[in-house]
Amino acid sequence: MVPKHISCGEPMSRRILIVDDVATNRIVMKVRLRNAHYQVLQASDGRTALELARTERPDLILLDMCLPDIEGTDLCRRLKAGRETASIPLIVVTAGRAPETKMRALEAGADEFLSKPLDEMILLARVRSLLRARETAEELALRNGTHQVLGFAEAAPNFAPPGLVALIASDPRRARAWRAALVPLISDSLTVLSRAEALNPQPGAAQPDAYVIDADLTAEGAGLRMVSELRAHPGSRDAAILIVVPEAARETAAMALDLGANDLIADPMDAQELALRIKMQIRRKTQSDRLRATLEDGLRLAVTDPLTGLFNRRYALPHVARVAERAAETGRSFALMILDIDRFKLVNDHYGHASGDAVLVEVARRLKENLRAVDLIARIGGEEFMVALPETDAERACGTAERLRRAIERRPVALPGGAGEIPVTISVGVAIGDGCAFVTGQVDLEAKVRELMEHADRALYGAKASGRNTVEMSRSAA
């Protein structure tokens, strides 16, 4: 049995592949990234990088342009063309500073271009930003894959309508100059807005898909504050935000990325580079919007529990299979929990079914509040819930289970109609799926998932037998 005061660990560290033919460069980069708590893989040539990217599935690649066997931009194109590697963010790192070199890298699929010697603050801020974006994309893709298994996902339309880009500068004349330079380069609609107009749109007005914002606007740091404000508004929360930053303003650039900006453009800017970055950001937003629409439109009734709003068993089982498939591809473990409300039948018997429903709703709310966006929580039975935690080892799974248990135990649940409060607890069974043990064959994969559920279920019975309100870890792993 797990002690009741285990703290929840940090998420498993992300893996970054460094591709550079100079050993000293790789060592320096490795030290910087290891100090920032990233795992590091290394390759000294393009062919090794391609093999590692396909087999190890790193979360991000730092790529030097000058390699002994494959030219850097060609390697970018090959990585973006591969099914297993297309979604991995790429940062091109090179000694060259020529604008045409940067454009070639961006056109080949690089997400960012950084010149040596590297500024560690900018590098790590850009890494954090790209990894956050990748996590969001992974979450949406994972859920969309589950919907495809269920037969609900619709094919994405081939046509993407033009986007709307808002240009916001300290001086309207500056924003109009941006627009004049961009008009011949992009097909998206361009509009010049003030800060107030962007933050307080007219009712019914179209929301921009992307914002290009001067970092300072009318006061120092006002552009950065606007990033946070746009992220707080429902209408602009998912928009792409590009910040125009003076080339030497390294702290401003790093802060913009950490506040939620999707991309940076150095000032004085190159109009072609800005146009390319806008196109790339709008394309990504369009893909994300389509996935979100698939999740939201017409699926809720089919795959959610009407009482708690959580996913139901119909959704949960194929989703766990998708998590297991991802674990098989990456070789990383994941956790599966079965949770049960202790003595729930007594609640219904003593207080009535309306009170039982209130307990279920409140327990579901607290559980969801204490999980990551990428985690799955589902109601799979009367008082039984399932939680799946991608990329989670045993220690972190135990910490998360303890956090959930404490969240339920911490305070009683209010009954409807002012009928008082009752204490509620849960018991939790935890099982760990070893990614290396899962196979990609569908039949074997589903059998492994069922086996893992049985391990978690047996652990739950052990928690109940130990006195309830406890966490029990399965000693077996699928």
Side-chain angles (χ1 to χ4, degrees), residues 232-245:
H233 281 241
S236 55
R237 181 176 298 143
D238 299 318
I241 301 177
L242 297 89
I243 298 294
V244 181
V245 184

Side-chain angles (χ1 to χ4, degrees), residues 185-211:
L185 302 175
I186 63 176
S187 59
D188 302 293
S189 299
L190 300 164
T191 182
V192 173
L193 297 178
S194 67
R195 177 179 179 278
E197 288 170 335
L199 294 176
N200 300 283
Q202 293 295 318
Q207 290 283 347
D209 298 287
Y211 296 83

Side-chain angles (χ1 to χ4, degrees), residues 87-298:
S87 64
I88 302 174
L90 302 176
I91 298 179
V92 166
V93 179
T94 184
R97 290 179 175 270
E100 57 269 22
T101 305
K102 177 188 284 189
M103 289 299 295
R104 284 196 301 115
L106 294 174
E107 289 169 350
D111 295 271
E112 184 54 286
F113 179 97
L114 299 176
S115 296
K116 299 175 182 177
L118 288 174
D119 184 309
E120 184 171 351
M121 179 186 294
I122 297 297
L123 170 66
L124 294 179
R126 174 55 81 178
V127 166
R128 289 191 295 268
S129 175
L130 288 173
L131 289 177
R132 283 196 305 271
R134 176 171 170 77
E135 184 174 344
T136 300
E138 284 178 339
E139 175 199 347
L140 290 170
L142 189 62
R143 298 200 186 283
N144 191 56
T146 304
H147 293 151
Q148 289 176 343
V149 172
L150 291 169
F152 296 133
E154 298 179 1
N158 294 323
F159 173 72
L164 175 61
V165 182
L167 307 174
I168 305 163
S170 53
D171 185 334
R173 290 173 296 182
R174 178 170 160 85
R176 287 194 290 269
W178 293 348
R179 182 174 61 185
L182 288 169
V183 163
L185 302 175
I186 63 176
S187 59
D188 302 293
S189 299
L190 300 164
T191 182
V192 173
L193 297 178
S194 67
R195 177 179 179 278
E197 288 170 335
L199 294 176
N200 300 283
Q202 293 295 318
Q207 290 283 347
D209 298 287
Y211 296 83
V212 179
I213 304 172
D214 204 338
D216 286 339
L217 290 180
T218 54
E220 184 177 355
L224 299 187
R225 289 193 296 275
M226 191 172 177
V227 175
S228 298
E229 292 167 326
L230 288 171
R231 290 288 179 237
H233 281 241
S236 55
R237 181 176 298 143
D238 299 318
I241 301 177
L242 297 89
I243 298 294
V244 181
V245 184
E247 196 163 4
R250 51 192 293 273
E251 291 187 5
T252 300
M255 189 177 299
L257 292 169
D258 284 337
L259 286 172
N262 300 90
D263 210 346
L264 304 173
I265 182 78
D267 189 26
M269 71 172 68
D270 178 277
Q272 287 189 322
E273 181 186 346
L274 177 58
L276 186 60
R277 290 182 182 273
I278 289 173
K279 290 176 186 177
M280 182 168 58
Q281 292 299 331
I282 288 183
R283 182 171 64 250
R284 289 176 180 169
K285 179 184 182 293
T286 300
Q287 292 169 347
S288 295
D289 286 348
R290 285 173 179 165
L291 288 175
R292 288 189 181 93
T294 301
L295 290 171
E296 294 168 0
D297 295 343

Side-chain angles (χ1 to χ4, degrees), residues 444-460:
D444 290 340
L445 185 66
E446 292 175 355
K448 288 284 189 180
V449 168
R450 288 194 296 271
E451 182 184 347
L452 189 65
M453 290 179 63
E454 290 172 3
H455 290 321
D457 220 22
R458 285 197 291 270
L460 173 63

